[in-house]
Amino acid sequence: MKFNTKAIHGGQHDIDPAYGSVMPPIYQTSTYSQTTPGGHKGFEYSRSGNPTRAALERAFASIENAKHGLAFASGLAAIDAVIKLLKPGDEVISTNDLYGGTYRLFTKIFEDFGVKFHFIGMENAENIEAYINDNTKLIWVETPTNPMMNIIDIKKCAGIAKKHNILLAVDNTFATPYLQRPMDLGADIVMHSATKYLGGHSDVVMGALMLNDDELAERLFFIQNASGAVCGPMDSFLVLRGLKTLHVRVQRHCENGKKVAEYLRDHPKIEKVYWPGFEEHPNHEVAKAQMDDFGGMISFVTKGNDYDEAIRIVERLKIFTLAESLGGVESLAGHPASMTHASIPKEEREKTGVVDALIRLSVGIEDAADLTADLEQAIG
Ligand SMILES: *Cc1c(COP(=O)(O)O)cnc(C)c1O
């Protein structure tokens, strides 16, 4: 099955043997009746499993070309489950330009449990080798990175991980499987904040893991059930509905993203635009090789790098909503220095490029002309 068909039908067989409903019913139940102790029809308690969530989990596996899918209460709950594969003394090598919540989970929760994290630039995958030792158990990759849109070569990372017998996990939230399929490039685990493009309508918080190895899947299923950060049936239904338009939505995100990126690049008041689709992007060749298109996430800096001017721009936007998050049908704008990265000291955030005037856009699927007109009136 090709991607566009999988987005709609992947894993969706025998959805409703009772009445043949085309969409899986929302099994809003916590438990299931048993005829005799242990005599049930495959489900006994909804933390362990729920038919609506199971339908979504099969769809998750299908779109990432994986054998197993697991759905969690949030993206961070999914990451939390992955790190719980580790033990005190184990080490993780992670992307440095990382989603802030992931960084917080690693440093403020798991470091206290004795897991050691190395945050490094991975645009040259070879950098990873220097940090590998006998305790290294996991390489954590996010690409494109947030908010600087750096690109990391997944295939090269997979080669290094295989050579040293280390797990490779890829946060594929920004790219979506429509544009980038890490399993095919050698990743062991794919992770999503389904809150973003997979759900696609800014109405659900959810996380996902996709993987192939049966033993690893069994261990992660055990952690999912034992730790309990599962998503509910209603949210499962909503994300399953979102998935059915993933391909058409992301296609339009890419078209609009290109138009907005090019508009910003030509604007006399704009200093720099970060978007992997530009030939001058330092990792453009890698992006071209591992992604089918370049997505709708764009960051830019105005000339003069003025903090207050950046705030004024995001406040003046009318169609772009000033808000955290990304990946919904509606366009969003954010100011990392005062929002997502406010807790990071100025010198630290500037090292990775998060300067005062950096603005991040999640370009939605509205009419592109309306979006550029909105930027025009806001930037002035
Ligand atoms: C939002 C996000 C997360 C965290 O997901 P939640 O659903 O908010 O818990 C992780 N990684 C990336 C890249 C994200 O954008």
Side-chain angles (χ1 to χ4, degrees), residues 73-79 98-102 140 142 144-146 171-174 191-196 204-207 325-326 360:
S74 70
L76 284 173
I79 302 172
L98 193 65
Y99 177 73
T102 310
W140 186 270
E142 194 181 309
T145 68
N146 174 36
D171 182 337
N172 205 31
T173 301
F174 268 40
M191 174 262 150
H192 277 273
S193 169
T195 313
K196 317 296 168 52
V204 181
V205 173
M206 190 187 286
S325 200
L326 60 112
R360 191 192 76 179

Short mmCIF file of all heavy atoms in Angstrom, two decimals, residues 73-79 98-102 140 142 144-146 171-174 191-196 204-207 325-326 360, ligand 1:
data_model
loop_
_atom_site.label_atom_id
_atom_site.label_comp_id
_atom_site.label_asym_id
_atom_site.label_seq_id
_atom_site.Cartn_x
_atom_site.Cartn_y
_atom_site.Cartn_z
N ALA A 73 -0.42 9.32 26.38
CA ALA A 73 -1.20 10.49 26.75
C ALA A 73 -0.62 11.79 26.20
O ALA A 73 -1.31 12.80 26.10
CB ALA A 73 -1.31 10.58 28.27
N SER A 74 0.68 11.79 25.87
CA SER A 74 1.32 12.98 25.28
C SER A 74 2.63 12.54 24.64
O SER A 74 3.10 11.41 24.88
CB SER A 74 1.60 14.04 26.36
OG SER A 74 2.64 13.60 27.23
N GLY A 75 3.22 13.44 23.86
CA GLY A 75 4.53 13.14 23.28
C GLY A 75 5.56 12.88 24.38
O GLY A 75 6.36 11.95 24.29
N LEU A 76 5.50 13.70 25.42
CA LEU A 76 6.47 13.53 26.50
C LEU A 76 6.27 12.20 27.23
O LEU A 76 7.25 11.58 27.68
CB LEU A 76 6.41 14.71 27.47
CG LEU A 76 7.07 15.97 26.91
CD1 LEU A 76 6.85 17.16 27.81
CD2 LEU A 76 8.58 15.75 26.71
N ALA A 77 5.03 11.74 27.35
CA ALA A 77 4.79 10.43 27.97
C ALA A 77 5.42 9.32 27.12
O ALA A 77 5.94 8.33 27.66
CB ALA A 77 3.29 10.19 28.13
N ALA A 78 5.40 9.49 25.81
CA ALA A 78 6.03 8.50 24.91
C ALA A 78 7.55 8.50 25.11
O ALA A 78 8.18 7.44 25.17
CB ALA A 78 5.67 8.81 23.46
N ILE A 79 8.14 9.69 25.22
CA ILE A 79 9.59 9.80 25.43
C ILE A 79 9.95 9.22 26.80
O ILE A 79 10.93 8.49 26.95
CB ILE A 79 10.06 11.27 25.32
CG1 ILE A 79 9.68 11.85 23.96
CG2 ILE A 79 11.57 11.37 25.55
CD1 ILE A 79 9.91 13.34 23.82
N LEU A 98 17.06 20.85 20.82
CA LEU A 98 16.05 19.84 21.13
C LEU A 98 14.75 20.51 21.59
O LEU A 98 14.79 21.59 22.17
CB LEU A 98 16.62 19.00 22.28
CG LEU A 98 15.99 17.70 22.67
CD1 LEU A 98 16.12 16.67 21.55
CD2 LEU A 98 16.69 17.14 23.92
N TYR A 99 13.62 19.84 21.37
CA TYR A 99 12.36 20.33 21.92
C TYR A 99 12.54 20.57 23.42
O TYR A 99 13.04 19.69 24.14
CB TYR A 99 11.25 19.31 21.66
CG TYR A 99 9.93 19.71 22.27
CD1 TYR A 99 9.18 20.74 21.72
CD2 TYR A 99 9.46 19.09 23.42
CE1 TYR A 99 7.99 21.13 22.30
CE2 TYR A 99 8.26 19.48 24.01
CZ TYR A 99 7.54 20.50 23.44
OH TYR A 99 6.35 20.89 24.01
N GLY A 100 12.14 21.76 23.90
CA GLY A 100 12.41 22.16 25.28
C GLY A 100 11.88 21.19 26.32
O GLY A 100 12.53 20.93 27.33
N GLY A 101 10.71 20.63 26.09
CA GLY A 101 10.12 19.69 27.05
C GLY A 101 10.92 18.40 27.13
O GLY A 101 11.00 17.78 28.20
N THR A 102 11.50 17.99 26.03
CA THR A 102 12.33 16.78 26.02
C THR A 102 13.59 17.04 26.84
O THR A 102 14.00 16.22 27.67
CB THR A 102 12.71 16.40 24.57
OG1 THR A 102 11.53 16.37 23.78
CG2 THR A 102 13.40 15.05 24.51
N TRP A 140 19.45 9.76 20.68
CA TRP A 140 18.16 10.43 20.52
C TRP A 140 18.30 11.54 19.48
O TRP A 140 19.05 12.50 19.69
CB TRP A 140 17.67 11.03 21.85
CG TRP A 140 16.29 11.59 21.72
CD1 TRP A 140 15.94 12.86 21.37
CD2 TRP A 140 15.07 10.87 21.88
NE1 TRP A 140 14.57 12.97 21.31
CE2 TRP A 140 14.01 11.76 21.62
CE3 TRP A 140 14.76 9.53 22.21
CZ2 TRP A 140 12.67 11.38 21.69
CZ3 TRP A 140 13.42 9.17 22.27
CH2 TRP A 140 12.39 10.08 22.03
N GLU A 142 16.44 14.37 16.85
CA GLU A 142 15.27 15.15 16.44
C GLU A 142 15.67 15.87 15.15
O GLU A 142 16.66 16.58 15.14
CB GLU A 142 14.94 16.15 17.55
CG GLU A 142 13.59 16.79 17.43
CD GLU A 142 13.33 17.80 18.57
OE1 GLU A 142 13.50 17.45 19.75
OE2 GLU A 142 12.98 18.94 18.23
N PRO A 144 13.73 17.65 11.36
CA PRO A 144 14.41 18.92 11.58
C PRO A 144 14.33 19.35 13.05
O PRO A 144 13.36 19.01 13.73
CB PRO A 144 13.64 19.91 10.70
CG PRO A 144 12.90 19.08 9.72
CD PRO A 144 12.63 17.78 10.39
N THR A 145 15.32 20.10 13.50
CA THR A 145 15.35 20.50 14.90
C THR A 145 14.48 21.74 15.12
O THR A 145 14.12 22.45 14.19
CB THR A 145 16.78 20.79 15.38
OG1 THR A 145 17.26 21.97 14.74
CG2 THR A 145 17.71 19.62 15.11
N ASN A 146 14.18 21.95 16.39
CA ASN A 146 13.27 23.00 16.81
C ASN A 146 14.02 24.02 17.68
O ASN A 146 14.56 23.62 18.69
CB ASN A 146 12.15 22.33 17.63
CG ASN A 146 11.21 23.33 18.25
OD1 ASN A 146 10.92 24.35 17.66
ND2 ASN A 146 10.76 23.03 19.44
N ASP A 171 12.74 11.44 16.89
CA ASP A 171 11.53 12.24 17.07
C ASP A 171 11.16 12.78 15.69
O ASP A 171 11.82 13.67 15.16
CB ASP A 171 11.82 13.38 18.07
CG ASP A 171 10.58 14.23 18.36
OD1 ASP A 171 9.67 14.26 17.51
OD2 ASP A 171 10.55 14.89 19.42
N ASN A 172 10.10 12.21 15.12
CA ASN A 172 9.72 12.54 13.73
C ASN A 172 8.56 13.53 13.68
O ASN A 172 7.88 13.64 12.66
CB ASN A 172 9.35 11.23 13.00
CG ASN A 172 9.53 11.32 11.51
OD1 ASN A 172 10.39 12.04 11.02
ND2 ASN A 172 8.72 10.59 10.76
N THR A 173 8.33 14.25 14.78
CA THR A 173 7.18 15.14 14.90
C THR A 173 7.15 16.21 13.80
O THR A 173 6.11 16.45 13.18
CB THR A 173 7.19 15.85 16.28
OG1 THR A 173 7.16 14.86 17.30
CG2 THR A 173 6.02 16.79 16.44
N PHE A 174 8.28 16.88 13.56
CA PHE A 174 8.31 17.99 12.60
C PHE A 174 8.12 17.51 11.17
O PHE A 174 7.47 18.17 10.38
CB PHE A 174 9.64 18.76 12.72
CG PHE A 174 9.60 19.93 13.66
CD1 PHE A 174 8.92 19.84 14.87
CD2 PHE A 174 10.25 21.12 13.35
CE1 PHE A 174 8.87 20.92 15.75
CE2 PHE A 174 10.20 22.21 14.22
CZ PHE A 174 9.52 22.11 15.41
N MET A 191 9.34 8.29 17.29
CA MET A 191 8.47 8.91 18.29
C MET A 191 7.78 10.12 17.66
O MET A 191 8.35 10.80 16.81
CB MET A 191 9.34 9.33 19.49
CG MET A 191 8.61 10.12 20.56
SD MET A 191 8.93 11.88 20.33
CE MET A 191 7.42 12.57 20.99
N HIS A 192 6.54 10.35 18.09
CA HIS A 192 5.78 11.52 17.64
C HIS A 192 5.09 12.21 18.79
O HIS A 192 4.52 11.54 19.66
CB HIS A 192 4.67 11.13 16.65
CG HIS A 192 5.13 10.97 15.26
ND1 HIS A 192 5.19 12.02 14.39
CD2 HIS A 192 5.58 9.88 14.59
CE1 HIS A 192 5.65 11.59 13.22
NE2 HIS A 192 5.90 10.30 13.32
N SER A 193 5.06 13.52 18.75
CA SER A 193 4.03 14.24 19.46
C SER A 193 2.86 14.28 18.48
O SER A 193 2.86 15.10 17.54
CB SER A 193 4.49 15.66 19.82
OG SER A 193 3.35 16.38 20.27
N ALA A 194 1.90 13.38 18.67
CA ALA A 194 0.73 13.32 17.78
C ALA A 194 -0.16 14.54 17.96
O ALA A 194 -1.08 14.78 17.18
CB ALA A 194 -0.06 12.04 18.03
N THR A 195 0.14 15.32 19.01
CA THR A 195 -0.50 16.62 19.24
C THR A 195 -0.36 17.52 18.02
O THR A 195 -1.20 18.38 17.78
CB THR A 195 0.22 17.32 20.43
OG1 THR A 195 0.38 16.39 21.50
CG2 THR A 195 -0.54 18.53 20.90
N LYS A 196 0.71 17.32 17.26
CA LYS A 196 1.07 18.24 16.18
C LYS A 196 0.46 17.76 14.85
O LYS A 196 -0.74 17.74 14.73
CB LYS A 196 2.59 18.38 16.13
CG LYS A 196 3.26 18.53 17.51
CD LYS A 196 2.86 19.79 18.24
CE LYS A 196 3.28 19.81 19.71
NZ LYS A 196 4.67 19.54 20.00
N VAL A 204 -6.08 17.87 20.40
CA VAL A 204 -5.72 16.70 21.20
C VAL A 204 -4.26 16.79 21.62
O VAL A 204 -3.43 17.26 20.83
CB VAL A 204 -5.88 15.38 20.39
CG1 VAL A 204 -5.53 14.17 21.24
CG2 VAL A 204 -7.27 15.23 19.82
N VAL A 205 -3.93 16.32 22.82
CA VAL A 205 -2.54 16.11 23.21
C VAL A 205 -2.31 14.60 23.24
O VAL A 205 -3.06 13.88 23.90
CB VAL A 205 -2.25 16.73 24.60
CG1 VAL A 205 -0.85 16.36 25.09
CG2 VAL A 205 -2.41 18.25 24.55
N MET A 206 -1.32 14.14 22.48
CA MET A 206 -1.08 12.69 22.40
C MET A 206 0.33 12.39 21.92
O MET A 206 0.95 13.21 21.24
CB MET A 206 -2.08 12.04 21.44
CG MET A 206 -2.05 10.51 21.50
SD MET A 206 -3.06 9.73 20.26
CE MET A 206 -4.68 10.02 20.92
N GLY A 207 0.84 11.22 22.28
CA GLY A 207 2.16 10.80 21.82
C GLY A 207 2.11 9.42 21.19
O GLY A 207 1.15 8.67 21.38
N SER A 325 2.93 25.40 20.25
CA SER A 325 2.50 24.26 19.44
C SER A 325 2.65 24.53 17.94
O SER A 325 3.12 25.61 17.52
CB SER A 325 1.08 23.81 19.76
OG SER A 325 0.90 22.46 19.32
N LEU A 326 2.29 23.54 17.16
CA LEU A 326 2.53 23.56 15.71
C LEU A 326 1.76 22.42 15.07
O LEU A 326 1.20 21.57 15.76
CB LEU A 326 4.03 23.38 15.44
CG LEU A 326 4.65 22.06 15.95
CD1 LEU A 326 5.06 21.16 14.81
CD2 LEU A 326 5.85 22.33 16.82
N ARG A 360 9.25 31.92 15.11
CA ARG A 360 8.99 30.62 14.50
C ARG A 360 7.56 30.55 13.99
O ARG A 360 6.62 30.94 14.69
CB ARG A 360 9.22 29.49 15.51
CG ARG A 360 9.23 28.11 14.87
CD ARG A 360 9.16 27.01 15.88
NE ARG A 360 7.80 26.85 16.40
CZ ARG A 360 7.45 25.93 17.28
NH1 ARG A 360 8.35 25.11 17.77
NH2 ARG A 360 6.20 25.84 17.71
C1 LIG B 1 5.45 19.05 21.12
C2 LIG B 1 6.67 18.24 20.93
C3 LIG B 1 7.02 17.24 21.84
C4 LIG B 1 6.23 16.97 23.11
O1 LIG B 1 4.96 16.48 22.81
P1 LIG B 1 3.66 16.77 23.75
O2 LIG B 1 2.58 16.09 22.97
O3 LIG B 1 3.51 18.24 23.86
O4 LIG B 1 3.94 16.12 25.05
C5 LIG B 1 8.16 16.51 21.57
N1 LIG B 1 8.91 16.73 20.47
C6 LIG B 1 8.60 17.69 19.58
C7 LIG B 1 9.48 17.91 18.41
C8 LIG B 1 7.47 18.48 19.77
O5 LIG B 1 7.18 19.45 18.90
#
